[in-house]
Amino acid sequence: MKHLAKPFLVSAALCMATVLPAHAELDVARLKAAIEASVEADYPGLDALYKDIHAHPELAFEEVKTAARLAAEMRALGFEVTEKVGKTGLVAIYKNGDGPTIMVRTELDALPMEEKTGLAYASRDKTTWNGRETFVAHSCGHDIHMANWVGTAKTLLGLKDQWHGTLMFIAQPAEETGTGAKAMLADGVFTRFRKPDVGFGLHDGAFAYGMVNYRPGIGSSNADSLVIKFHGRGGHGAAPQETIDPVMIAARFIVDVQSVISREKGPTEFGVLSIGAIHGGTSPNIIPDDVLVLGTIRSFKPEVRARMLAGIERTAKAAAAMSDAPAPDIAVTEIAKAVMNDPAVVESAAKVMKVAFGEKFEAAPPVTPSEDFSEFVNAGVPSMFFNIGVYEPERVAAASNGTGPELPPNHSPLFAPVPKPTIETGIKAMTLAVLSAFDQHARGK
Ligand SMILES: [Zn+2]
Ligand SMILES: [Zn+2]
């Protein structure tokens, strides 16, 4: 841990010649240099932490070793750590005088899939998931987030003469299943501990390392899961007149429902329905009794979502009615709400990050995947969620101009962030974001 002697504030004299300002501005250039030096010095330890977590991933609510590893890191830094918040979650608190509480969140979980990157530190771990043996891999990059989280904590402690208040670092289980943030909230993360004044989270993605993308408003999509059971009346495939064919009903629904997307929702509004699974029947010559259709519905705006849900339900019922079948069972479960970034939090962080990253800090459109960080936002924490890139800029350029291969996205078995520049950018961006929030608060805004 490094301690920096001089406060990194531009003196009043530099800010204004004769009139004292109500506050001093953060000296971002000097802070950035100090953060970079700190991260460079810490990197070997963070690299080892990243590769260890990467090689030994754990699935939702099973992140026992991962959580223990992070708890040890944070305790060594002097954080007060509480384990098992929301089953396998962690809360790490560090008090540094009077001031606001700023939350930084990481996820803990990995995915039930086989990693095929061929990296020396690739995961070969297996576990049992829903009764079946599966490989486990950090193919969403949550391991990068964990290294960022620990690195940001270290960096902020090295700069603790620059801020006053409380750091609330939370490590959330089960993001991939959309249930971990809810579990932490239900277990009192904001009541047993405290409700933060500002929250930050980040996600890595398949764009150039060194880049930071942000969104002033909607950050990610609302996700609903769709389960429809179409009921028919089974019988012989050669005598369909004696049956009600649920395969036909499901097929008709799957095609017709896309007209809800193209005809009922505004063409400039984001909305997607993808059917990911159809289960029905056993044999070529048997018409089954029922067919199960599973899908995902994504949207940004509640009014667009409501229209899509109504259209989907109507189409399912109509498809069944056309065959004189009983009404289908339709279940829509909201998995995650859209993440809404707080304009004031984003504005103050963006001001600092623009100075630090220049043109590598970019406003971007919302992303269509979903993120249960929205649970913390909706629990009343004004927040900012941003994205960092993971690949070599040259490879990204070649992929975008067609001279190189497409780069594997998150959830691909080939997703392989370049660790050092990705982790360093994440720590730099997150540290500056947290400092901007402390600074904003100190100035009474
Ligand atoms: Zn994911
Ligand atoms: Zn993720």
Side-chain angles (χ1 to χ4, degrees):
M1 195 188 315
K2 292 142 296 295
H3 212 83
L4 299 145
K6 258 176 115 184
F8 279 27
L9 298 171
V10 178
S11 71
L14 280 174
C15 270
M16 292 183 113
T18 49
V19 186
L20 277 177
H23 58 81
E25 294 282 337
L26 281 177
D27 184 346
V28 179
R30 282 190 61 206
L31 269 178
K32 185 184 163 212
I35 294 167
E36 279 169 354
S38 163
V39 176
E40 188 65 35
D42 289 336
Y43 189 74
L46 294 170
D47 189 75
L49 174 70
Y50 167 68
K51 288 175 179 164
D52 182 37
I53 294 173
H54 185 93
H56 302 294
E58 294 173 299
L59 294 177
F61 291 130
E62 293 176 359
E63 313 94 329
V64 178
K65 286 185 205 142
T66 310
R69 179 85 209 256
L70 293 193
E73 293 280 344
M74 298 303 266
R75 283 199 181 104
L77 290 175
F79 279 73
E80 197 180 304
V81 179
T82 307
E83 295 176 70
K84 298 189 177 129
V85 181
K87 295 187 188 165
T88 43
L90 290 183
V91 176
I93 303 269
Y94 189 95
K95 292 179 188 149
N96 182 28
D98 291 337
T101 298
I102 311 295
M103 179 182 89
V104 178
R105 172 269 212 170
T106 183
E107 316 89 316
L108 292 164
D109 59 328
L111 289 161
M113 60 185 286
E114 183 177 2
E115 176 173 355
K116 295 178 181 169
T117 60
L119 291 165
Y121 50 92
S123 163
R124 298 306 300 159
D125 284 7
K126 286 182 179 176
T127 189
T128 304
W129 183 245
N130 291 336
R132 291 163 78 163
E133 188 180 66
T134 175
F135 281 101
V136 190
H138 264 302
S139 304
C140 201
H142 296 177
D143 45 358
I144 291 278
H145 307 171
M146 287 183 249
N148 279 335
W149 189 79
V150 171
T152 300
K154 281 190 183 195
T155 309
L156 282 165
L157 294 206
L159 292 166
K160 70 180 178 192
D161 52 354
Q162 301 298 310
W163 55 273
H164 298 287
T166 300
L167 297 176
M168 182 172 178
F169 273 54
I170 66 167
Q172 179 211 304
E175 191 281 327
E176 294 293 352
T177 54
T179 46
K182 289 186 186 102
M184 287 192 86
L185 287 164
D187 201 7
V189 65
F190 291 165
T191 50
R192 279 166 60 199
F193 303 90
R194 52 179 73 201
K195 191 161 117 187
D197 297 283
V198 175
F200 291 102
L202 60 71
H203 210 295
D204 50 17
F207 56 102
Y209 61 60
M211 297 279 305
V212 180
N213 285 348
Y214 77 106
R215 291 155 191 88
I218 297 165
S220 63
S221 75
N222 182 296
D224 292 286
S225 85
L226 174 69
V227 178
I228 303 180
K229 192 169 199 178
F230 287 107
H231 303 287
R233 191 173 63 239
H236 203 293
Q241 76 282 6
E242 289 163 13
T243 73
I244 296 175
D245 183 353
V247 174
M248 175 79 95
I249 298 169
R252 190 183 281 143
F253 166 77
I254 289 164
V255 175
D256 283 352
V257 76
Q258 292 301 333
S259 68
V260 173
I261 310 302
S262 69
R263 303 289 87 184
E264 295 189 32
K265 157 188 93 47
T268 59
E269 300 289 0
F270 168 71
V272 162
L273 165 63
S274 294
I275 302 300
I278 312 169
H279 299 298
T282 53
S283 165
N285 61 352
I286 304 170
I287 292 171
D289 275 333
D290 39 49
V291 168
L292 200 62
V293 171
L294 311 178
T296 187
I297 304 161
R298 305 296 171 110
S299 55
F300 290 144
K301 295 183 182 166
E303 59 273 23
V304 175
R305 172 176 179 261
R307 250 189 126 134
M308 287 170 59
L309 294 185
I312 290 164
E313 186 178 335
R314 196 168 10 85
T315 308
K317 286 180 176 166
M322 280 175 79
S323 295
D324 202 18
D329 298 324
I330 305 169
V332 172
T333 310
E334 190 170 44
I335 304 293
K337 291 192 165 65
V339 171
M340 286 300 292
N341 288 307
D342 182 82
V345 173
V346 172
E347 192 191 330
S348 89
K351 220 169 105 187
V352 170
M353 289 210 245
K354 259 176 202 150
V355 177
F357 292 99
E359 61 190 22
K360 291 187 172 176
F361 180 69
E362 252 183 18
V367 291
T368 60
S370 306
E371 171 57 68
D372 73 354
F373 185 76
S374 55
E375 295 294 326
F376 301 119
V377 179
N378 293 338
V381 181
S383 296
M384 177 178 181
F385 193 83
F386 57 90
N387 295 80
I388 56 170
V390 304
Y391 288 130
E392 296 88 341
E394 315 77 60
R395 284 176 70 205
V396 174
S400 75
N401 67 25
T403 58
E406 291 284 324
L407 293 169
N410 307 70
H411 289 211
S412 158
L414 301 173
F415 183 67
V418 182
K420 189 166 191 268
T422 303
I423 291 168
E424 286 183 346
T425 302
I427 297 172
K428 214 191 306 179
M430 190 57 90
T431 303
L432 287 168
V434 171
L435 290 173
S436 79
F438 278 121
D439 179 58
Q440 190 76 353
H441 226 268
R443 292 194 265 139
K445 287 189 184 171

